[in-house]
C-alpha cells in the first residue's frame, strides 16, 4: 500500500482553476495512484526520463500519472490520435483515466550496465480523463479533463448518509489495524510502524482530521483558515481507506474511475468487515496458543 500525503491549497491553486489542461504524461507498467496518496516510482525508459526532466523544470511540478492498457484485461483503452508520425502508432495504448500528480522529489542514478534510472516520490492531486494526445516524442503529452465524485441527488440527506457510511467504514478500518497489531511480534518494529502509519492515514481525512482544515498566511500577513468542503473530504477519505487495503490493481483502477463516493465506501467497508472476521479468528487462535 502507498501512503497518504496532503497537498496544500497553495500547491494546487493553479490545478483546480480549469477542468481541462495540458499534461506531460508519465505512463507506468503497473500501479494506480489515488488522489492525496503518495507512492515511489522507478523510471528507466528514455521517454520517462525525458518526461521527468521536463517536469523538474516547471515551477509547479505537475504531471499525469497513468498506466499502459493491456489487451484482454478489461481496461479501457484510448485511441491515440492527433499525431502525424507513423512511429506513434506503435505506442502502447494508455488507460484513459489517471491521476494528476505532484513530483515531490526525484533522484537520478547514472549509467552503468543497467543504464540510467530515476527514483521519484509523487503525490496524487486529482483524477483526469485523457481527451486527446498532443505529442509522443520525446514523451507523451495530452489534453486531459479533471473530474471529481458527484452527488447523485445533491441534497443534505445524501451528504449525511455518506458521512454515516464513512464513519462506519473508518471504524472498520481502525478495527482491522487494531487486530493486525495484535498479531505482530513484540520485536517487529517495522510492522508496528507500518500499522501506525496506516492508522494516521485513515484518520487524516476523517471528520476533524488534520487534513480537513489548514491555515494559510495571506500576502498582508493575516492568518486565514481553510476547511475542506464536506463532499471533497468524503471523497478523499474514501480513497485513503481504499488505499490501505490490499486489493488487485484492476479493482483499484475501477475505484479510481468511479465517481460515486458511496459505491467506493460500500465496497471498501465490505472488504474491511470481512477482514475483521478473519483477523478476529486469527487473534483468538493466537491468544489460545499463548495461554
Amino acid at each position: 500500500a502507498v501512503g497518504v500525503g496532503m497537498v496544500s491549497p497553495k500547491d494546487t491553486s493553479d490545478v483546480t482553476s480549469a477542468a481541462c489542461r495540458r499534461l506531460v504524461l508519465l505512463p507506468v507498467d503497473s500501479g494506480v495512484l489515488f488522489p492525496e496518496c503518495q507512492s515511489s516510482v522507478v523510471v528507466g525508459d528514455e521517454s520517462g526520463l525525458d518526461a521527468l526532466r521536463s517536469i523538474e523544470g516547471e515551477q509547479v511540478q505537475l504531471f499525469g500519472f497513468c498506466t499502459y492498457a493491456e489487451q484482454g484485461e478489461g481496461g479501457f483503452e484510448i485511441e491515440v490520435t492527433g499525431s502525424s508520425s507513423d512511429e506513434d502508432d506503435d505506442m502502447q495504448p494508455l488507460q484513459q483515466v489517471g491521476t494528476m500528480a505532484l513530483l515531490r522529489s526525484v533522484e537520478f542514478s547514472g549509467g552503468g550496465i543497467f543504464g540510467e534510472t530515476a527514483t521519484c516520490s509523487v503525490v496524487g492531486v486529482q483524477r483526469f480523463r485523457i481527451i486527446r494526445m498532443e505529442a509522443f516524442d520525446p514523451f507523451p503529452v495530452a489534453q486531459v479533463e479533471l473530474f471529481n465524485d458527484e452527488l447523485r441527488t445533491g441534497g443534505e440527506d445524501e451528504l449525511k448518509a455518506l458521512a454515516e457510511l464513512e464513519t462506519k467504514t473508518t471504524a472498520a478500518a481502525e478495527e482491522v489495524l487494531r487486530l493486525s497489531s495484535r498479531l505482530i511480534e513484540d520485536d517487529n518494529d517495522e510492522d508496528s510502524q507500518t500499522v501506525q502509519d496506516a492508522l494516521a492515514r485513515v484518520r487524516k481525512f476523517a471528520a476533524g482530521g488534520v487534513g480537513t482544515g489548514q491555515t494559510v498566511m495571506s500576502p498582508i500577513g493575516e492568518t486565514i483558515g481553510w476547511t475542506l468542503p464536506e463532499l471533497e473530504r468524503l471523497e478523499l477519505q474514501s480513497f485513503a481507506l481504499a488505499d490501505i487495503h490490499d486489493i488487485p490493481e484492476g479493482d483499484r483502477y475501477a475505484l479510481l474511475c468511479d465517481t460515486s463516493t458511496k459505491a467506493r465506501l460500500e465496497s471498501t467497508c465490505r472488504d474491511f468487515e470481512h477482514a475483521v472476521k478473519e483477523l478476529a479468528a486469527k487473534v483468538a487462535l493466537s491468544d489460545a496458543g499463548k495461554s
Side-chain angles (χ1 to χ4, degrees), residues 26 51-53 55-57 60-63 101-106 119-123 125:
L26 185 66
L52 281 174
R53 293 189 183 95
I55 296 163
E56 258 200 315
V60 180
Q61 298 173 349
L62 292 166
F63 67 96
L102 183 69
L103 182 65
R104 283 282 177 84
S105 65
V106 58
T119 302
C120 47
S121 174
V122 303
V123 59
V125 177

Side-chain angles (χ1 to χ4, degrees), residues 88-157:
D88 299 333
D89 294 335
D90 296 330
M91 180 178 175
Q92 187 175 348
L94 304 175
Q95 297 281 20
Q96 187 189 28
V97 174
T99 304
M100 183 167 62
L102 183 69
L103 182 65
R104 283 282 177 84
S105 65
V106 58
E107 182 178 344
F108 292 91
S109 56
I113 188 171
F114 298 108
E116 186 178 19
T117 62
T119 302
C120 47
S121 174
V122 303
V123 59
V125 177
Q126 189 174 1
R127 291 171 290 169
F128 66 79
R129 299 183 188 93
I130 297 175
I131 300 173
R132 65 182 179 88
M133 301 300 296
E134 281 196 356
F136 298 88
D137 186 35
F139 44 78
V141 179
Q143 283 287 337
V144 305
E145 176 188 32
L146 304 176
F147 71 96
N148 292 97
D149 283 353
E150 301 169 357
L151 286 175
R152 294 306 185 249
T153 65
E156 288 298 321
D157 288 344

Side-chain angles (χ1 to χ4, degrees), residues 22-27 45-51 66 68 78-95 130-143:
R22 183 175 184 268
L23 279 181
V24 172
L25 301 183
L26 185 66
D45 62 288
E46 183 177 350
S47 175
L49 293 170
D50 287 341
C66 58
Y68 291 109
I78 66 165
E79 181 179 348
V80 287
T81 58
S83 169
S84 60
S85 171
D86 293 337
E87 295 180 1
D88 299 333
D89 294 335
D90 296 330
M91 180 178 175
Q92 187 175 348
L94 304 175
Q95 297 281 20
I130 297 175
I131 300 173
R132 65 182 179 88
M133 301 300 296
E134 281 196 356
F136 298 88
D137 186 35
F139 44 78
V141 179
Q143 283 287 337

